[in-house]
PDB file of all heavy atoms in Angstrom:
ATOM      1  N   ALA J 112     -12.134  35.573  43.909  1.00 81.00           N
ATOM      2  CA  ALA J 112     -10.636  35.618  43.786  1.00 81.00           C
ATOM      3  C   ALA J 112     -10.155  36.026  45.217  1.00 81.00           C
ATOM      4  O   ALA J 112     -10.361  37.024  45.719  1.00 81.00           O
ATOM      5  CB  ALA J 112     -10.217  36.553  42.834  1.00 81.00           C
ATOM      6  N   GLN J 113      -9.408  35.077  45.789  1.00 75.00           N
ATOM      7  CA  GLN J 113      -8.697  35.214  47.118  1.00 75.00           C
ATOM      8  C   GLN J 113      -7.279  35.535  47.057  1.00 75.00           C
ATOM      9  O   GLN J 113      -6.728  35.726  48.086  1.00 75.00           O
ATOM     10  CB  GLN J 113      -9.050  34.139  47.982  1.00 75.00           C
ATOM     11  CG  GLN J 113     -10.597  33.699  48.123  1.00 75.00           C
ATOM     12  CD  GLN J 113     -10.936  32.565  48.837  1.00 75.00           C
ATOM     13  OE1 GLN J 113      -9.900  31.787  49.245  1.00 75.00           O
ATOM     14  NE2 GLN J 113     -12.099  32.221  48.941  1.00 75.00           N
ATOM     15  N   GLY J 114      -6.626  35.286  45.891  1.00 62.00           N
ATOM     16  CA  GLY J 114      -5.255  35.414  45.739  1.00 62.00           C
ATOM     17  C   GLY J 114      -4.761  36.688  46.082  1.00 62.00           C
ATOM     18  O   GLY J 114      -4.890  37.781  45.355  1.00 62.00           O
ATOM     19  N   ILE J 115      -3.969  36.926  47.193  1.00 65.00           N
ATOM     20  CA  ILE J 115      -3.384  38.183  47.540  1.00 65.00           C
ATOM     21  C   ILE J 115      -1.899  38.212  47.095  1.00 65.00           C
ATOM     22  O   ILE J 115      -1.177  37.197  47.130  1.00 65.00           O
ATOM     23  CB  ILE J 115      -3.432  38.335  49.079  1.00 65.00           C
ATOM     24  CG1 ILE J 115      -4.795  38.193  49.610  1.00 65.00           C
ATOM     25  CG2 ILE J 115      -2.749  39.570  49.499  1.00 65.00           C
ATOM     26  CD1 ILE J 115      -5.741  39.335  49.157  1.00 65.00           C
ATOM     27  N   GLU J 116      -1.586  39.265  46.666  1.00 68.00           N
ATOM     28  CA  GLU J 116      -0.240  39.405  46.088  1.00 68.00           C
ATOM     29  C   GLU J 116       0.434  40.492  46.791  1.00 68.00           C
ATOM     30  O   GLU J 116      -0.006  41.685  46.961  1.00 68.00           O
ATOM     31  CB  GLU J 116      -0.377  39.795  44.554  1.00 68.00           C
ATOM     32  CG  GLU J 116       0.986  39.788  43.710  1.00 68.00           C
ATOM     33  CD  GLU J 116       0.713  39.820  42.143  1.00 68.00           C
ATOM     34  OE1 GLU J 116       0.091  40.936  41.940  1.00 68.00           O
ATOM     35  OE2 GLU J 116       1.101  38.938  41.558  1.00 68.00           O
ATOM     36  N   LEU J 117       1.733  40.336  47.271  1.00 72.00           N
ATOM     37  CA  LEU J 117       2.479  41.401  47.880  1.00 72.00           C
ATOM     38  C   LEU J 117       3.574  41.787  46.975  1.00 72.00           C
ATOM     39  O   LEU J 117       4.263  41.119  46.319  1.00 72.00           O
ATOM     40  CB  LEU J 117       3.134  40.764  49.193  1.00 72.00           C
ATOM     41  CG  LEU J 117       2.175  40.273  50.284  1.00 72.00           C
ATOM     42  CD1 LEU J 117       2.955  39.731  51.511  1.00 72.00           C
ATOM     43  CD2 LEU J 117       1.326  41.472  50.785  1.00 72.00           C
ATOM     44  N   SER J 118       3.731  43.179  47.001  1.00 75.00           N
ATOM     45  CA  SER J 118       4.692  43.749  46.070  1.00 75.00           C
ATOM     46  C   SER J 118       5.483  44.727  46.794  1.00 75.00           C
ATOM     47  O   SER J 118       4.910  45.550  47.878  1.00 75.00           O
ATOM     48  CB  SER J 118       4.131  44.403  44.755  1.00 75.00           C
ATOM     49  OG  SER J 118       3.276  43.465  44.159  1.00 75.00           O
ATOM     50  N   ASP J 119       6.693  45.113  46.481  1.00 79.00           N
ATOM     51  CA  ASP J 119       7.520  46.197  47.064  1.00 79.00           C
ATOM     52  C   ASP J 119       6.904  47.506  46.704  1.00 79.00           C
ATOM     53  O   ASP J 119       6.472  47.830  45.611  1.00 79.00           O
ATOM     54  CB  ASP J 119       8.995  46.247  46.721  1.00 79.00           C
ATOM     55  CG  ASP J 119       9.627  44.936  47.311  1.00 79.00           C
ATOM     56  OD1 ASP J 119       9.352  44.623  48.454  1.00 79.00           O
ATOM     57  OD2 ASP J 119      10.568  44.492  46.629  1.00 79.00           O
ATOM     58  N   LEU J 120       6.813  48.391  47.652  1.00 80.00           N
ATOM     59  CA  LEU J 120       6.334  49.799  47.326  1.00 80.00           C
ATOM     60  C   LEU J 120       7.497  50.529  46.764  1.00 80.00           C
ATOM     61  O   LEU J 120       8.644  50.598  47.336  1.00 80.00           O
ATOM     62  CB  LEU J 120       5.905  50.514  48.627  1.00 80.00           C
ATOM     63  CG  LEU J 120       5.251  51.916  48.395  1.00 80.00           C
ATOM     64  CD1 LEU J 120       4.037  51.855  47.515  1.00 80.00           C
ATOM     65  CD2 LEU J 120       4.807  52.482  49.815  1.00 80.00           C
ATOM     66  N   LEU J 121       7.242  51.092  45.499  1.00 81.00           N
ATOM     67  CA  LEU J 121       8.368  51.769  44.843  1.00 81.00           C
ATOM     68  C   LEU J 121       8.140  53.325  44.927  1.00 81.00           C
ATOM     69  O   LEU J 121       6.974  53.827  44.798  1.00 81.00           O
ATOM     70  CB  LEU J 121       8.536  51.289  43.424  1.00 81.00           C
ATOM     71  CG  LEU J 121       8.854  49.904  43.149  1.00 81.00           C
ATOM     72  CD1 LEU J 121       8.698  49.629  41.694  1.00 81.00           C
ATOM     73  CD2 LEU J 121      10.106  49.509  43.789  1.00 81.00           C
ATOM     74  N   ALA J 122       9.237  54.040  44.770  1.00 83.00           N
ATOM     75  CA  ALA J 122       9.177  55.484  44.665  1.00 83.00           C
ATOM     76  C   ALA J 122       9.995  55.812  43.432  1.00 83.00           C
ATOM     77  O   ALA J 122      10.803  55.077  43.024  1.00 83.00           O
ATOM     78  CB  ALA J 122       9.757  56.171  45.853  1.00 83.00           C
ATOM     79  N   ARG J 123       9.875  57.051  42.939  1.00 84.00           N
ATOM     80  CA  ARG J 123      10.641  57.387  41.808  1.00 84.00           C
ATOM     81  C   ARG J 123      11.129  58.850  41.958  1.00 84.00           C
ATOM     82  O   ARG J 123      10.423  59.691  42.695  1.00 84.00           O
ATOM     83  CB  ARG J 123       9.936  57.216  40.522  1.00 84.00           C
ATOM     84  CG  ARG J 123       8.722  58.240  40.304  1.00 84.00           C
ATOM     85  CD  ARG J 123       8.177  58.028  38.924  1.00 84.00           C
ATOM     86  NE  ARG J 123       7.114  58.959  38.743  1.00 84.00           N
ATOM     87  CZ  ARG J 123       6.227  59.154  37.845  1.00 84.00           C
ATOM     88  NH1 ARG J 123       6.224  58.181  36.931  1.00 84.00           N
ATOM     89  NH2 ARG J 123       5.397  60.090  37.762  1.00 84.00           N
ATOM     90  N   GLU J 124      12.327  59.036  41.452  1.00 86.00           N
ATOM     91  CA  GLU J 124      12.803  60.437  41.356  1.00 86.00           C
ATOM     92  C   GLU J 124      13.259  60.757  39.979  1.00 86.00           C
ATOM     93  O   GLU J 124      13.515  59.805  39.190  1.00 86.00           O
ATOM     94  CB  GLU J 124      14.078  60.533  42.258  1.00 86.00           C
ATOM     95  CG  GLU J 124      13.967  60.529  43.713  1.00 86.00           C
ATOM     96  CD  GLU J 124      15.246  60.579  44.493  1.00 86.00           C
ATOM     97  OE1 GLU J 124      16.191  60.412  43.918  1.00 86.00           O
ATOM     98  OE2 GLU J 124      15.073  60.681  45.736  1.00 86.00           O
ATOM     99  N   ILE J 125      13.378  62.041  39.677  1.00 86.00           N
ATOM    100  CA  ILE J 125      13.789  62.467  38.286  1.00 86.00           C
ATOM    101  C   ILE J 125      15.283  62.804  38.529  1.00 86.00           C
ATOM    102  O   ILE J 125      15.624  63.612  39.267  1.00 86.00           O
ATOM    103  CB  ILE J 125      13.082  63.551  37.761  1.00 86.00           C
ATOM    104  CG1 ILE J 125      11.627  63.095  37.462  1.00 86.00           C
ATOM    105  CG2 ILE J 125      13.708  63.961  36.494  1.00 86.00           C
ATOM    106  CD1 ILE J 125      10.680  64.246  37.013  1.00 86.00           C
ATOM    107  N   SER J 126      16.187  62.224  37.855  1.00 84.00           N
ATOM    108  CA  SER J 126      17.529  62.367  37.860  1.00 84.00           C
ATOM    109  C   SER J 126      18.131  62.380  36.441  1.00 84.00           C
ATOM    110  O   SER J 126      17.958  61.358  35.714  1.00 84.00           O
ATOM    111  CB  SER J 126      18.333  61.269  38.769  1.00 84.00           C
ATOM    112  OG  SER J 126      19.675  61.413  38.724  1.00 84.00           O
ATOM    113  N   ASP J 127      18.785  63.332  36.095  1.00 86.00           N
ATOM    114  CA  ASP J 127      19.378  63.465  34.717  1.00 86.00           C
ATOM    115  C   ASP J 127      18.336  63.228  33.652  1.00 86.00           C
ATOM    116  O   ASP J 127      18.481  62.546  32.626  1.00 86.00           O
ATOM    117  CB  ASP J 127      20.558  62.595  34.527  1.00 86.00           C
ATOM    118  CG  ASP J 127      21.735  62.830  35.411  1.00 86.00           C
ATOM    119  OD1 ASP J 127      21.981  64.113  35.684  1.00 86.00           O
ATOM    120  OD2 ASP J 127      22.392  61.919  35.750  1.00 86.00           O
TER     121      ASP J 127
END
Side-chain angles (χ1 to χ4, degrees):
Q113 300 172 2
I115 301 297
E116 190 173 57
L117 297 176
S118 304
D119 290 327
L120 183 61
L121 299 177
R123 71 177 183 190
E124 290 181 345
I125 298 175
S126 176
D127 295 327

